Amino acid sequence: MKSNNLTCPIPFNENERITMAHGGGGKAMQKLIDSCIIETFDNQYLNEKNDSSVLPITNNKIAFTTDSFVIKPIFFPGGDIGSLAVIGTVNDLAVSGAEPRYISAAFIIEEGFLINDLFRIVKSMYETARKVGVEIVTGDTKVVEKGHGDGIYINTTGIGEFNITDLPSSKKIQEGDKIIINGDIARHGMAVMAAREGLEFESTIESDCEELSTIIKKLLDEGIRIHCMRDLTRGGLVSGLVEVIQQTNLSCIIEENKIFVKDEVNAACEILGLDPLYVANEGKFVMIIHQDDENKALKILHESNSGKHAVTIGQVAKTNPGNVLIKNFLGVTRYLEMINGEQLPRIC
Amino acid sequence: MKSNNLTCPIPFNENERITMAHGGGGKAMQKLIDSCIIETFDNQYLNEKNDSSVLPITNNKIAFTTDSFVIKPIFFPGGDIGSLAVIGTVNDLAVSGAEPRYISAAFIIEEGFLINDLFRIVKSMYETARKVGVEIVTGDTKVVEKGHGDGIYINTTGIGEFNITDLPSSKKIQEGDKIIINGDIARHGMAVMAAREGLEFESTIESDCEELSTIIKKLLDEGIRIHCMRDLTRGGLVSGLVEVIQQTNLSCIIEENKIFVKDEVNAACEILGLDPLYVANEGKFVMIIHQDDENKALKILHESNSGKHAVTIGQVAKTNPGNVLIKNFLGVTRYLEMINGEQLPRIC
């Protein structure tokens, strides 16, 4: 791999902004894409500069997922739209049991956007992808007039390969399975809302934005019988669990006192009138595993950075099929439903 | 395949509009996606409702491409943003020599957009995909506030498989190769501009929006030695040729009197001060082929719908390496350069 221009200046002035010409298919677009994007992402597939990239695949089953990112603000404590766009798609692949391999990056940029900010985002994507071990192999750039976007929107679409044959699926969930989460919840949503609304707390709320493919690979490699996984993004912990359990004739029973929410996150939730159980995360997943593997799974998680606060929050039962129930501090059990409306707009 | 709801009413009122809640990860979003999108696209992969789709691949080399569509207006003579989003990505795969297999669909919808219009677009995507033989297997929906979008933006990302081993590439271009185009140019760009600006002509200009994978497969199956292909979207014929020939030590010499532009398209170009050589197409490609295969290739093209007006427009030479030259009606030759700025904003 040749060195890329992460430390070199790009051929634009510091205050230069995106114009409609940067999306027009001519020289201006070519210069922007070549110097700011292809040079940074730098890999053999992208360097071919074809409309499609030609990619080797070693397996006859792949995972495929897409996500657009419209987060506001685009820079926030703990990440930015670039790192988020890579991590979001990588995590979707990882929870399906696949190892992330390739990612596409498509930008919709609003006229007037600072080219330096675009470059900062592209660098962040590159660095995140390198850390995870995925390559950004194809892309697209569109420009829309001022007033028809919001700085930048990014779509990433990912391809993963399966190195396991017995894939996680809601069909595999059975009574007695343990429900494990890899840490505290609601941090990403509240970090973004606090940054957007200018809320101040004793300590800044940082997004939990983190890739999950490394720890999931480890759990699978060690033979943990993971029946099903979900990353807990839009709609938070409850929506993730409801989505899964609705596809079965079983229920999830979780315990409120096992679910950890940081003090400043709780405070922010209270100010905004939000329930942390429904607030988005970007580095959290639940896994529903064979009950006999609980201790081994927790041990593996606790030895990792992204799972050091992992905990069993509940189990799968036969009563109340299709539902998620929560037992509170007083031992009272209630149903948890998917929220109807919008809890937090544009947090991913 | 179960029957889908193309003729059934979706569970929304005729004048119901997208709200921020439809992007929030809760019940409203689930209802929209289930009834309007998954029901329509209807396939086993999407029906699994997982974050990633699991797809079979029969080959160890795949093509991967992404495109966002921000076209304005979203409905235009000859197509709409939905058919365009499928065709654009299918054609990018096809010109790389791959057979399109799977597509993702990610929507960024502006608050206030008519749900009926969304449904119309989704149906158009489904019908186009079915015609081509690709499946829309994974998706995403985001909603942005009024004033931060323009109705709807769509990203499609595609996967194709190679059934040939010797892939088209600019590296294969050689002196004497013939340059063939499959019909008249500049129709898509002018159809969209005429619709946007309300220009009226004796006959409506229709976009040439058309899938190219079927005819390209035929040419490859018949053994035409295609050295390189490009679909002629943003930047038009010239940008496509310049992009390719810049990667070689050869030149393209094309003849103006071989390039066909319809009268009404020419008239629209004149009104807007545009050169049709640079105006976008959505159903046109150039192929640079071994000179001995010219007649056979033209015969195959002429028997097809998408190639019935195919013509050889020029050839590859050794002089002026890296350049595209055009010989005009008087026999005078001039250089053609990529345009610098934006000729037509938001035509794809």
Side-chain angles (χ1 to χ4, degrees):
Chain A
M1 187 162 76
K2 72 179 160 73
S3 72
N4 66 44
N5 70 350
L6 291 192
T7 53
C8 301
I10 52 169
F12 293 97
N13 300 325
E14 205 185 332
N15 298 315
E16 211 166 327
R17 290 178 184 274
I18 292 289
T19 65
M20 293 306 290
H22 288 116
K27 274 187 198 166
M29 183 170 108
Q30 203 186 29
K31 179 183 164 195
L32 179 76
I33 292 176
D34 283 355
S35 64
C36 182
I37 299 177
I38 294 184
E39 274 278 308
T40 307
F41 289 158
D42 184 39
N43 57 64
Q44 53 171 317
Y45 310 110
L46 208 54
N47 293 343
E48 288 280 332
K49 291 188 195 175
N50 287 321
D51 280 336
S52 295
S53 287
V54 181
L55 309 172
I57 288 288
T58 56
N59 216 298
N60 61 0
K61 231 179 216 175
I62 59 171
F64 188 41
T65 189
T66 190
D67 248 320
S68 293
F69 296 85
V70 298
I71 191 167
K72 178 185 186 171
I74 54 176
F75 301 104
F76 53 86
D80 58 62
I81 191 171
S83 57
L84 181 67
V86 173
I87 284 171
T89 288
V90 159
N91 288 353
D92 277 345
L93 294 171
V95 293
S96 74
E99 293 184 22
R101 292 286 304 275
Y102 306 112
I103 278 185
S104 65
F107 302 94
I108 298 176
I109 313 173
E110 190 185 12
E111 183 186 14
F113 192 64
L114 267 180
I115 293 181
N116 251 343
D117 281 347
L118 172 63
F119 189 48
R120 194 175 149 194
I121 289 163
V122 168
K123 279 196 292 186
S124 169
M125 292 182 80
Y126 169 75
E127 281 158 7
T128 309
R130 190 175 53 174
K131 221 184 295 175
V132 182
V134 293
E135 287 190 289
I136 300 167
V137 295
T138 189
D140 178 55
T141 306
K142 293 290 187 318
V143 178
V144 293
E145 306 91 336
K146 207 161 176 59
H148 288 305
D150 201 0
I152 189 166
Y153 300 145
I154 302 177
N155 176 281
T156 53
T157 302
I159 293 175
E161 289 197 74
F162 291 102
N163 289 317
I164 48 171
T165 47
D166 194 18
L167 308 186
S169 154
S170 58
K171 293 181 189 74
K172 295 172 76 179
I173 299 173
Q174 57 192 36
E175 191 187 1
D177 279 359
K178 295 295 178 181
I179 304 168
I180 294 177
I181 189 168
N182 64 318
D184 66 300
I185 62 165
R187 242 194 299 146
H188 175 73
M190 294 328 298
V192 173
M193 287 308 285
R196 195 190 301 167
E197 306 295 332
L199 305 180
E200 289 195 11
F201 301 93
E202 266 182 42
S203 55
T204 307
I205 302 175
E206 286 225 341
S207 166
D208 62 334
C209 205
E210 192 170 6
E211 70 91 7
L212 297 169
S213 66
T214 309
I215 182 63
I216 289 173
K217 179 171 166 26
K218 185 126 201 234
L219 290 159
L220 289 169
D221 285 350
E222 296 280 343
I224 301 298
R225 284 164 285 179
I226 303 177
H227 291 161
C228 193
M229 288 182 276
R230 268 285 195 287
D231 59 333
L232 305 173
T233 56
R234 269 189 295 183
L237 171 62
V238 173
S239 301
L241 285 176
V242 171
E243 257 181 60
V244 165
I245 214 68
Q246 271 181 352
Q247 298 173 20
T248 70
N249 285 318
L250 300 160
S251 62
C252 291
I253 302 174
I254 59 175
E255 290 176 52
E256 197 159 8
N257 64 4
K258 296 287 174 60
I259 298 163
F260 179 53
V261 184
K262 290 196 166 191
D263 287 344
E264 61 268 29
V265 175
N266 243 333
C269 281
E270 271 182 28
I271 290 171
L272 295 167
L274 298 169
D275 184 339
L277 292 173
Y278 293 90
V279 173
N281 314 273
E282 285 294 343
K284 294 299 164 338
F285 71 115
V286 280
M287 56 178 191
I288 299 178
I289 67 168
H290 193 291
Q291 57 184 317
D292 294 346
D293 292 349
E294 180 187 6
N295 291 336
K296 188 176 169 189
L298 285 172
K299 189 169 175 291
I300 297 166
L301 281 160
H302 291 159
E303 284 164 358
S304 79
N305 231 332
S306 42
K308 55 178 179 269
H309 300 299
V311 61
T312 304
I313 57 167
Q315 56 197 5
V316 174
K318 264 192 166 159
T319 51
N320 303 293
N323 285 293
V324 177
L325 295 104
I326 191 165
K327 204 182 283 179
N328 75 4
F329 294 89
L330 302 168
V332 180
T333 300
R334 63 184 169 98
Y335 287 91
L336 288 173
E337 292 204 33
M338 219 178 246
I339 41 168
N340 192 32
E342 167 81 356
Q343 218 197 9
L344 293 175
R346 297 184 53 191
I347 43 76
C348 62
Chain B
M1 188 161 75
K2 73 178 161 70
S3 72
N4 65 44
N5 70 350
L6 292 190
T7 53
C8 300
I10 51 170
F12 293 97
N13 300 325
E14 206 184 332
N15 299 314
E16 210 166 330
R17 291 178 184 275
I18 293 288
T19 65
M20 293 306 291
H22 289 115
K27 273 187 198 167
M29 182 170 110
Q30 201 186 29
K31 179 184 165 194
L32 179 77
I33 292 177
D34 284 354
S35 64
C36 182
I37 300 177
I38 294 182
E39 274 278 309
T40 307
F41 290 158
D42 183 38
N43 58 64
Q44 52 172 317
Y45 310 110
L46 208 53
N47 293 344
E48 288 280 331
K49 291 188 196 175
N50 286 322
D51 281 335
S52 296
S53 287
V54 181
L55 309 172
I57 289 288
T58 57
N59 215 296
N60 62 0
K61 232 179 216 174
I62 60 170
F64 188 41
T65 189
T66 189
D67 247 320
S68 293
F69 296 85
V70 299
I71 190 167
K72 178 185 186 170
I74 53 177
F75 301 104
F76 53 86
D80 58 61
I81 192 172
S83 58
L84 180 67
V86 173
I87 284 171
T89 287
V90 159
N91 288 353
D92 276 344
L93 293 171
V95 294
S96 75
E99 294 185 21
R101 293 285 305 274
Y102 306 112
I103 278 185
S104 65
F107 303 93
I108 297 176
I109 312 173
E110 190 186 11
E111 183 186 16
F113 192 65
L114 267 179
I115 293 180
N116 251 342
D117 281 346
L118 172 64
F119 189 47
R120 196 175 147 193
I121 290 163
V122 168
K123 278 195 293 186
S124 170
M125 292 183 80
Y126 169 75
E127 281 158 5
T128 309
R130 189 175 53 176
K131 221 184 293 173
V132 183
V134 291
E135 286 190 288
I136 300 168
V137 294
T138 190
D140 178 55
T141 306
K142 292 290 187 317
V143 178
V144 293
E145 306 91 336
K146 208 163 177 57
H148 288 304
D150 200 0
I152 189 166
Y153 300 145
I154 302 178
N155 176 281
T156 53
T157 302
I159 293 175
E161 288 198 75
F162 291 102
N163 289 317
I164 48 172
T165 48
D166 195 17
L167 309 186
S169 154
S170 58
K171 292 182 189 75
K172 295 173 77 179
I173 300 173
Q174 57 193 37
E175 191 186 0
D177 278 359
K178 295 294 179 182
I179 304 168
I180 293 177
I181 190 167
N182 65 319
D184 66 300
I185 61 166
R187 241 195 301 144
H188 176 73
M190 294 328 299
V192 173
M193 287 308 286
R196 195 190 301 168
E197 306 295 332
L199 304 180
E200 289 196 12
F201 302 93
E202 266 182 42
S203 54
T204 306
I205 302 175
E206 286 224 342
S207 167
D208 62 334
C209 205
E210 193 170 5
E211 71 91 7
L212 298 169
S213 66
T214 310
I215 182 61
I216 289 173
K217 180 173 166 24
K218 186 128 199 231
L219 290 159
L220 289 169
D221 285 350
E222 296 281 344
I224 302 298
R225 284 164 286 181
I226 303 177
H227 291 162
C228 193
M229 288 183 276
R230 268 288 194 286
D231 59 335
L232 304 173
T233 55
R234 270 190 294 184
L237 172 61
V238 173
S239 301
L241 285 177
V242 170
E243 256 181 60
V244 165
I245 214 67
Q246 270 180 353
Q247 298 175 19
T248 71
N249 285 318
L250 300 159
S251 62
C252 292
I253 301 174
I254 60 175
E255 290 175 51
E256 197 159 8
N257 64 4
K258 297 287 175 59
I259 298 163
F260 180 53
V261 184
K262 290 196 165 191
D263 287 344
E264 60 269 29
V265 174
N266 244 333
C269 281
E270 272 182 27
I271 290 171
L272 295 167
L274 297 169
D275 184 339
L277 293 173
Y278 293 90
V279 173
N281 315 274
E282 285 294 343
K284 294 298 163 339
F285 71 115
V286 281
M287 55 179 191
I288 299 178
I289 67 168
H290 194 290
Q291 56 184 316
D292 294 347
D293 292 349
E294 180 186 5
N295 291 336
K296 188 175 169 191
L298 285 171
K299 189 169 176 290
I300 297 165
L301 282 160
H302 291 159
E303 284 165 359
S304 78
N305 232 332
S306 42
K308 55 176 179 273
H309 300 300
V311 62
T312 304
I313 57 167
Q315 57 197 6
V316 174
K318 266 194 167 158
T319 51
N320 302 295
N323 285 293
V324 177
L325 294 103
I326 191 164
K327 204 183 283 180
N328 75 4
F329 294 90
L330 303 167
V332 179
T333 300
R334 64 184 168 99
Y335 287 91
L336 289 173
E337 292 203 33
M338 219 178 244
I339 40 168
N340 192 31
E342 167 81 356
Q343 218 197 11
L344 294 174
R346 296 184 54 190
I347 43 75
C348 61

